[in-house]
Amino acid sequence: MQDKKPRISFFGLGYVGIVTAACFASKGFKVLAYDIDESKVNLLNEGKTIIYEPCLDDLVRYSVKNGFLKASVDPNEVVLNSEITFITVGTPSKQDGSIDLRFVKDAANLIGKALKSKNSWHLVVVKSTVLPGTTNNVVKVTIEEISGRKGEYDFGLCSNPEFLREGSAVQDMLYPDRLIIGGSKKSTDYLLNFYKMFYEKLPETIITSAENAELIKYANNAFLAMKVSFINMIARICQKLPSSDVEIVAKGIGLDKRIGPLFLKAGVGWGGSCWPKDLNALKRFAEEIKVDVPLINATIKVNEEQPLIAIEYAKEMLGNLKDRKISILGLSFKPNTDDIREAVSIKIINKLLDEGALVVVYDPKAMEGIRRIFGNKLVYAKDAIDCIKNSECAILVTEWEEFKKLKPEDFLNNMKYPALIDGRRVYNPEIYSSKLNFRAVGLGYRN
Ligand code: UGA
């Protein structure tokens, strides 16, 4: 068992890679990170990152400055100067929703090439989200083929999924609910020993097969998404009942310890870089192995329909949306991130544009990404008030703190016609309903 701090390398400087690498390095582990993208590598070596994530900048700056974190475009350099390699490349969806393993295979190829010239045992850890069987049947097999080395004898393999949430990724990495480690005894012992050095107090840990570890990740995301789609389905029932409110219903069921209060916030739907792709990948995988997954299908279906609630409400309040000025408050898929991948805002904007509306948008961090998609089809406001100015309907799509602070008077004094749709349930319905034309997801409409 190793006593010395192992040196760590990473393949993939995406959001998981950079956060994990920076957290390891911030605790004095030597971390080398490979990425094919030279601009990312250069930026990191200047102590900067391209993603916005609370606390990340400080960790990266500190780690680079103190020589704990370095990026490289040379895959051999990072493997040969480390004992553990984490694969943190993306696993996007193919056109048909199935998982695209291109980047995982590329990483395994490069690691295999490097391991050819390494004489000591090396541990490869798959952190990317991959379907059950991938660590052993794809990563291990590829490395064996390329390196001519034997898996488990010359190099070890673990599946070690991550559960970080964007917007609180650093916190989640440093204080996780649990660690899941799958693989052979030698490999899992080695990784566990590293984590014992990293965490002052080891989180609850499950050591299991690689397949279980891989499936836990998908089941986890699918269950959470199902919980949100479930409450969104209940929200639709509440909307038809004049004195009903999904917020109260969610609170009521959340107090049951068997259900719990988290991930029961109804809204205009879920998005992001993980859930949509992971649920689709799981669905396709289940089809391949001939397992029926009606709950996954229903979870996706509810979510596809959910953003339309905002459009229905807008039509209810304004009638025809053609040439009506509509403001979108919030564009990122959730607050505290600039990530707009699969963001609900994009679906709502597209629908409004189809209806001929004039769409004005504002987000504290995600303007650039949206501008790249929509260009001059939208008006880009400089702040929240500028966004709602002279507008006829405002739709709150992402619950950034600064939008929560808007008062009924802000809407009354700035909008041409003060109609507000609360797509994330941040405004007090009693107060806002009494002052504005107000609708909210999961709120029964009271005349
Ligand atoms: C999700 C999981 O929560 C992480 O555990 C996992 O590691 C990550 O995916 C991943 O696989 O990499 P993330 O996509 O960052 O994390 O975001 P969440 O906080 O889970 O939110 C997902 C979506 O659900 C967001 O659009 C959010 O607005 C929505 N949501 C969440 C709700 O509508 N209601 C809720 O109660 C909770």
Side-chain angles (χ1 to χ4, degrees):
M1 190 55 47
Q2 80 274 25
D3 302 318
K4 238 178 83 192
K5 275 186 172 174
R7 294 165 303 165
I8 313 291
S9 57
F10 278 82
F11 271 67
L13 277 174
Y15 134 84
V16 173
I18 182 75
V19 171
T20 316
C23 286
F24 289 169
S26 72
K27 291 212 187 170
F29 288 87
K30 280 260 185 199
V31 178
L32 277 169
Y34 163 81
D35 200 288
I36 196 166
D37 182 343
E38 204 167 346
S39 60
K40 267 189 199 168
V41 166
N42 292 338
L43 203 65
L44 189 94
N45 286 334
E46 288 167 25
K48 296 180 195 149
T49 65
I50 50 166
I51 57 167
Y52 169 73
E53 187 63 42
C55 306
L56 184 62
D57 278 0
D58 290 345
L59 286 191
V60 168
R61 205 176 311 115
Y62 166 86
S63 304
V64 171
K65 193 169 154 227
N66 290 288
F68 294 119
L69 178 60
K70 185 181 162 242
S72 169
V73 284
D74 178 357
N76 285 325
E77 180 195 357
V78 309
V79 174
L80 297 179
N81 290 292
S82 64
E83 282 73 49
I84 306 178
T85 296
F86 284 86
I87 298 179
T88 50
V89 293
T91 49
S93 301
K94 288 189 193 157
Q95 207 69 35
D96 65 358
S98 63
I99 189 167
D100 184 347
L101 284 179
R102 203 169 2 143
F103 303 120
V104 173
K105 287 179 186 162
D106 287 350
N109 262 305
L110 293 171
I111 294 167
K113 273 188 198 148
L115 286 183
K116 257 187 193 171
S117 47
K118 189 167 179 193
N119 295 320
S120 51
W121 194 81
H122 192 93
L123 180 63
V124 178
V125 181
V126 180
K127 228 181 206 320
S128 302
T129 299
V130 292
L131 287 161
T134 309
T135 299
N136 283 325
N137 302 338
V138 178
V139 179
K140 179 172 143 189
V141 170
T142 307
I143 297 176
E144 282 181 335
E145 272 172 20
I146 304 286
S147 66
R149 303 289 163 112
K150 187 93 189 84
E152 302 308 341
Y153 294 99
D154 302 315
F155 67 94
L157 272 145
C158 279
S159 160
N160 174 218
E162 57 78 27
F163 301 95
L164 313 179
R165 290 162 302 171
E166 291 191 27
S168 54
V170 170
Q171 186 73 9
D172 288 349
M173 177 64 215
L174 296 175
Y175 306 98
D177 289 346
R178 71 329 201 168
L179 286 178
I180 305 291
I181 301 177
S184 70
K185 170 129 179 57
K186 180 173 178 184
S187 298
T188 56
D189 277 355
Y190 196 89
L191 188 59
L192 185 63
N193 201 46
F194 158 67
Y195 277 124
K196 282 182 181 158
M197 294 182 206
F198 177 70
Y199 290 111
E200 271 155 42
K201 185 174 177 299
L202 193 72
E204 184 99 33
T205 300
I206 292 183
I207 306 286
T208 181
S209 66
E211 281 197 347
N212 273 342
E214 291 162 329
L215 186 55
I216 286 170
K217 169 71 189 188
Y218 279 93
N220 207 92
N221 271 353
F223 190 87
L224 290 173
M226 183 179 71
K227 216 174 162 190
V228 178
S229 278
F230 176 84
I231 201 67
N232 285 341
M233 176 192 75
I234 298 294
R236 296 177 192 180
I237 298 177
C238 295
Q239 282 159 211
K240 299 281 181 197
L241 308 173
S243 54
S244 182
D245 183 347
V246 72
E247 285 281 286
I248 313 293
V249 176
K251 191 170 179 194
I253 63 172
L255 286 170
D256 184 328
K257 287 195 183 64
R258 294 167 300 178
I259 297 176
L262 303 177
F263 282 69
L264 278 183
K265 186 85 182 164
V268 275
W270 43 263
S273 63
C274 306
W275 288 4
K277 101 176 151 62
D278 291 351
L279 266 78
N280 278 312
L282 186 58
K283 177 182 152 156
R284 296 299 310 221
F285 178 67
E287 277 165 18
E288 268 169 38
I289 57 170
K290 304 211 170 2
V291 177
D292 202 15
V293 285
L295 289 178
I296 307 287
N297 297 335
T299 300
I300 295 171
K301 182 170 182 283
V302 169
N303 198 53
E304 279 167 358
E305 297 160 354
Q306 198 64 9
L308 299 178
I309 289 176
I311 310 295
E312 280 165 29
Y313 275 156
K315 283 184 176 169
E316 235 176 78
M317 293 196 282
L318 301 185
N320 195 331
L321 301 182
K322 187 153 173 35
D323 297 331
R324 309 304 290 269
K325 189 168 177 183
I326 300 191
S327 316
I328 303 291
L329 293 170
L331 302 167
S332 55
F333 85 96
K334 65 181 212 179
N336 299 323
T337 173
D338 57 359
D339 198 339
I340 53 156
R341 284 175 287 177
E342 299 289 328
V344 175
S345 64
I346 297 173
K347 297 181 193 169
I348 293 178
I349 292 169
N350 270 322
K351 194 81 189 118
L352 290 172
L353 291 176
D354 286 350
E355 299 278 337
L358 303 171
V359 185
V360 190
V361 299
Y362 174 69
D363 186 283
K365 294 279 176 203
M367 296 294 266
E368 277 322 302
I370 289 292
R371 201 191 292 270
R372 276 198 292 277
I373 298 177
F374 290 99
N376 59 11
K377 288 187 190 149
L378 308 177
V379 176
Y380 301 90
K382 62 178 193 304
D383 55 34
I385 296 294
D386 187 36
C387 186
I388 60 174
K389 199 143 245 148
N390 298 323
S391 143
E392 295 164 272
C393 176
I395 308 176
L396 180 103
V397 178
T398 315
E399 66 277 33
W400 285 93
E401 275 310 313
E402 66 177 86
F403 301 146
K404 292 185 187 171
K405 291 185 190 136
L406 292 172
K407 302 268 175 296
E409 291 67 35
D410 292 319
F411 295 99
L412 282 168
N413 298 339
N414 287 291
M415 292 176 74
K416 181 171 166 194
Y417 173 68
L420 173 61
I421 299 169
D422 183 352
R424 294 291 173 192
R425 298 310 310 266
V426 303
Y427 300 120
N428 180 319
E430 303 299 330
I431 299 174
Y432 283 74
S433 297
S434 67
K435 299 193 173 176
L436 310 171
N437 196 355
F438 181 75
R439 298 281 194 286
V441 171
L443 183 69
Y445 176 56
R446 306 123 202 228
N447 260 318

